[in-house]
mmCIF file of all heavy atoms in Angstrom:
data_model
loop_
_atom_site.group_PDB
_atom_site.id
_atom_site.type_symbol
_atom_site.label_atom_id
_atom_site.label_comp_id
_atom_site.label_asym_id
_atom_site.label_seq_id
_atom_site.Cartn_x
_atom_site.Cartn_y
_atom_site.Cartn_z
ATOM 1 N N ILE Z 306 -37.069 -84.978 192.367
ATOM 2 C CA ILE Z 306 -38.411 -84.465 192.678
ATOM 3 C C ILE Z 306 -39.040 -85.394 193.714
ATOM 4 O O ILE Z 306 -39.046 -86.620 193.540
ATOM 5 C CB ILE Z 306 -39.317 -84.419 191.426
ATOM 6 C CG1 ILE Z 306 -38.673 -83.569 190.323
ATOM 7 C CG2 ILE Z 306 -40.695 -83.882 191.782
ATOM 8 C CD1 ILE Z 306 -39.525 -83.449 189.062
ATOM 9 N N LYS Z 314 -44.628 -86.268 209.470
ATOM 10 C CA LYS Z 314 -44.670 -87.732 209.599
ATOM 11 C C LYS Z 314 -44.571 -88.425 208.234
ATOM 12 O O LYS Z 314 -44.233 -89.599 208.137
ATOM 13 C CB LYS Z 314 -45.983 -88.155 210.279
ATOM 14 C CG LYS Z 314 -45.978 -87.863 211.768
ATOM 15 C CD LYS Z 314 -47.219 -88.388 212.424
ATOM 16 C CE LYS Z 314 -48.301 -87.380 212.379
ATOM 17 N NZ LYS Z 314 -49.607 -87.474 212.391
ATOM 18 N N ALA Z 329 -28.262 -83.898 197.890
ATOM 19 C CA ALA Z 329 -29.107 -83.742 196.698
ATOM 20 C C ALA Z 329 -29.750 -82.360 196.661
ATOM 21 O O ALA Z 329 -29.961 -81.737 197.696
ATOM 22 C CB ALA Z 329 -30.205 -84.800 196.694
ATOM 23 N N LEU Z 331 -33.305 -80.535 195.556
ATOM 24 C CA LEU Z 331 -34.672 -81.060 195.468
ATOM 25 C C LEU Z 331 -35.692 -80.051 194.945
ATOM 26 O O LEU Z 331 -35.520 -78.842 195.094
ATOM 27 C CB LEU Z 331 -35.140 -81.499 196.864
ATOM 28 C CG LEU Z 331 -34.297 -82.563 197.572
ATOM 29 C CD1 LEU Z 331 -34.810 -82.776 198.983
ATOM 30 C CD2 LEU Z 331 -34.312 -83.879 196.795
ATOM 31 N N SER Z 392 -57.393 -93.596 199.169
ATOM 32 C CA SER Z 392 -58.510 -94.477 198.844
ATOM 33 C C SER Z 392 -59.811 -93.769 199.147
ATOM 34 O O SER Z 392 -60.102 -93.472 200.310
ATOM 35 C CB SER Z 392 -58.437 -95.766 199.657
ATOM 36 O OG SER Z 392 -59.684 -96.432 199.567
ATOM 37 N N LYS Z 399 -66.693 -97.266 202.773
ATOM 38 C CA LYS Z 399 -67.281 -98.347 201.962
ATOM 39 C C LYS Z 399 -66.352 -99.548 201.993
ATOM 40 O O LYS Z 399 -65.178 -99.435 201.637
ATOM 41 C CB LYS Z 399 -67.441 -97.872 200.507
ATOM 42 C CG LYS Z 399 -68.473 -96.787 200.347
ATOM 43 C CD LYS Z 399 -69.371 -97.119 199.159
ATOM 44 C CE LYS Z 399 -70.555 -96.225 199.093
ATOM 45 N NZ LYS Z 399 -71.820 -96.902 199.337
ATOM 46 N N ASP Z 431 -38.109 -86.393 178.004
ATOM 47 C CA ASP Z 431 -36.736 -86.881 178.195
ATOM 48 C C ASP Z 431 -36.094 -86.171 179.399
ATOM 49 O O ASP Z 431 -34.979 -85.641 179.327
ATOM 50 C CB ASP Z 431 -35.894 -86.666 176.922
ATOM 51 C CG ASP Z 431 -34.601 -87.483 176.980
ATOM 52 O OD1 ASP Z 431 -34.535 -88.429 177.794
ATOM 53 O OD2 ASP Z 431 -33.654 -87.155 176.245
ATOM 54 N N GLY Z 437 -30.901 -92.760 186.016
ATOM 55 C CA GLY Z 437 -31.860 -92.174 186.948
ATOM 56 C C GLY Z 437 -32.567 -93.275 187.734
ATOM 57 O O GLY Z 437 -32.509 -94.455 187.377
ATOM 58 N N LEU Z 464 -49.823 -100.625 190.999
ATOM 59 C CA LEU Z 464 -48.631 -99.766 191.115
ATOM 60 C C LEU Z 464 -47.360 -100.589 190.907
ATOM 61 O O LEU Z 464 -46.454 -100.197 190.156
ATOM 62 C CB LEU Z 464 -48.607 -99.127 192.512
ATOM 63 C CG LEU Z 464 -47.401 -98.236 192.815
ATOM 64 C CD1 LEU Z 464 -47.643 -96.810 192.322
ATOM 65 C CD2 LEU Z 464 -47.094 -98.193 194.309
ATOM 66 N N SER Z 470 -43.401 -102.833 184.373
ATOM 67 C CA SER Z 470 -43.626 -102.622 182.938
ATOM 68 C C SER Z 470 -42.872 -101.408 182.426
ATOM 69 O O SER Z 470 -42.190 -101.478 181.406
ATOM 70 C CB SER Z 470 -45.124 -102.462 182.654
ATOM 71 O OG SER Z 470 -45.809 -103.610 183.091
ATOM 72 N N GLY Z 472 -40.417 -100.007 183.966
ATOM 73 C CA GLY Z 472 -39.002 -100.262 184.267
ATOM 74 C C GLY Z 472 -38.315 -100.907 183.085
ATOM 75 O O GLY Z 472 -37.161 -100.601 182.762
ATOM 76 N N LYS Z 480 -31.379 -96.606 180.686
ATOM 77 C CA LYS Z 480 -30.795 -97.158 181.906
ATOM 78 C C LYS Z 480 -31.401 -96.550 183.177
ATOM 79 O O LYS Z 480 -30.749 -96.445 184.218
ATOM 80 C CB LYS Z 480 -29.272 -96.986 181.905
ATOM 81 C CG LYS Z 480 -28.591 -97.655 180.715
ATOM 82 C CD LYS Z 480 -27.139 -97.896 180.966
ATOM 83 C CE LYS Z 480 -26.392 -98.526 179.807
ATOM 84 N NZ LYS Z 480 -27.111 -99.493 179.010
ATOM 85 N N VAL Z 481 -32.655 -96.110 183.070
ATOM 86 C CA VAL Z 481 -33.360 -95.609 184.257
ATOM 87 C C VAL Z 481 -33.942 -96.803 184.993
ATOM 88 O O VAL Z 481 -34.490 -97.717 184.377
ATOM 89 C CB VAL Z 481 -34.482 -94.624 183.845
ATOM 90 C CG1 VAL Z 481 -35.456 -94.378 184.996
ATOM 91 C CG2 VAL Z 481 -33.876 -93.303 183.368
ATOM 92 N N ASN Z 484 -38.397 -98.951 190.765
ATOM 93 C CA ASN Z 484 -38.692 -99.966 191.784
ATOM 94 C C ASN Z 484 -39.809 -99.491 192.702
ATOM 95 O O ASN Z 484 -40.100 -98.298 192.776
ATOM 96 C CB ASN Z 484 -37.438 -100.207 192.645
ATOM 97 C CG ASN Z 484 -36.288 -100.800 191.843
ATOM 98 O OD1 ASN Z 484 -36.338 -101.961 191.444
ATOM 99 N ND2 ASN Z 484 -35.248 -100.005 191.593
ATOM 100 N N GLU Z 510 -45.513 -105.381 214.179
ATOM 101 C CA GLU Z 510 -44.309 -105.231 215.012
ATOM 102 C C GLU Z 510 -43.927 -106.597 215.621
ATOM 103 O O GLU Z 510 -42.778 -107.019 215.569
ATOM 104 C CB GLU Z 510 -44.610 -104.199 216.113
ATOM 105 C CG GLU Z 510 -43.543 -104.034 217.172
ATOM 106 C CD GLU Z 510 -42.341 -103.221 216.713
ATOM 107 O OE1 GLU Z 510 -42.464 -102.464 215.737
ATOM 108 O OE2 GLU Z 510 -41.278 -103.380 217.340
ATOM 109 N N MET Z 512 -44.793 -109.494 214.482
ATOM 110 C CA MET Z 512 -44.570 -110.492 213.419
ATOM 111 C C MET Z 512 -43.287 -110.257 212.623
ATOM 112 O O MET Z 512 -43.000 -110.974 211.672
ATOM 113 C CB MET Z 512 -45.756 -110.469 212.435
ATOM 114 C CG MET Z 512 -46.865 -111.430 212.797
ATOM 115 S SD MET Z 512 -46.361 -113.157 212.683
ATOM 116 C CE MET Z 512 -46.425 -113.375 210.907
ATOM 117 N N ASN Z 517 -41.043 -103.250 213.124
ATOM 118 C CA ASN Z 517 -41.477 -102.448 211.972
ATOM 119 C C ASN Z 517 -40.391 -101.459 211.552
ATOM 120 O O ASN Z 517 -39.713 -100.880 212.399
ATOM 121 C CB ASN Z 517 -42.725 -101.635 212.335
ATOM 122 C CG ASN Z 517 -43.968 -102.505 212.408
ATOM 123 O OD1 ASN Z 517 -44.059 -103.525 211.719
ATOM 124 N ND2 ASN Z 517 -44.916 -102.118 213.248
ATOM 125 N N TYR Z 526 -33.450 -96.097 203.061
ATOM 126 C CA TYR Z 526 -33.492 -97.075 201.956
ATOM 127 C C TYR Z 526 -33.665 -96.350 200.616
ATOM 128 O O TYR Z 526 -33.030 -96.705 199.612
ATOM 129 C CB TYR Z 526 -34.625 -98.066 202.205
ATOM 130 C CG TYR Z 526 -34.556 -99.335 201.385
ATOM 131 C CD1 TYR Z 526 -33.340 -99.863 200.960
ATOM 132 C CD2 TYR Z 526 -35.721 -100.020 201.040
ATOM 133 C CE1 TYR Z 526 -33.285 -101.035 200.222
ATOM 134 C CE2 TYR Z 526 -35.677 -101.196 200.297
ATOM 135 C CZ TYR Z 526 -34.453 -101.694 199.892
ATOM 136 O OH TYR Z 526 -34.405 -102.854 199.158
ATOM 137 N N GLY Z 553 -43.567 -116.712 209.107
ATOM 138 C CA GLY Z 553 -44.829 -117.434 209.290
ATOM 139 C C GLY Z 553 -45.434 -117.116 210.637
ATOM 140 O O GLY Z 553 -46.618 -116.789 210.743
#
Side-chain angles (χ1 to χ4, degrees):
I306 303 181
K314 285 185 272 154
L331 302 174
S392 166
K399 292 226 170 247
D431 195 18
L464 178 86
S470 301
K480 301 200 182 325
V481 165
N484 295 289
E510 173 77 20
M512 269 294 283
N517 286 331
Y526 196 29

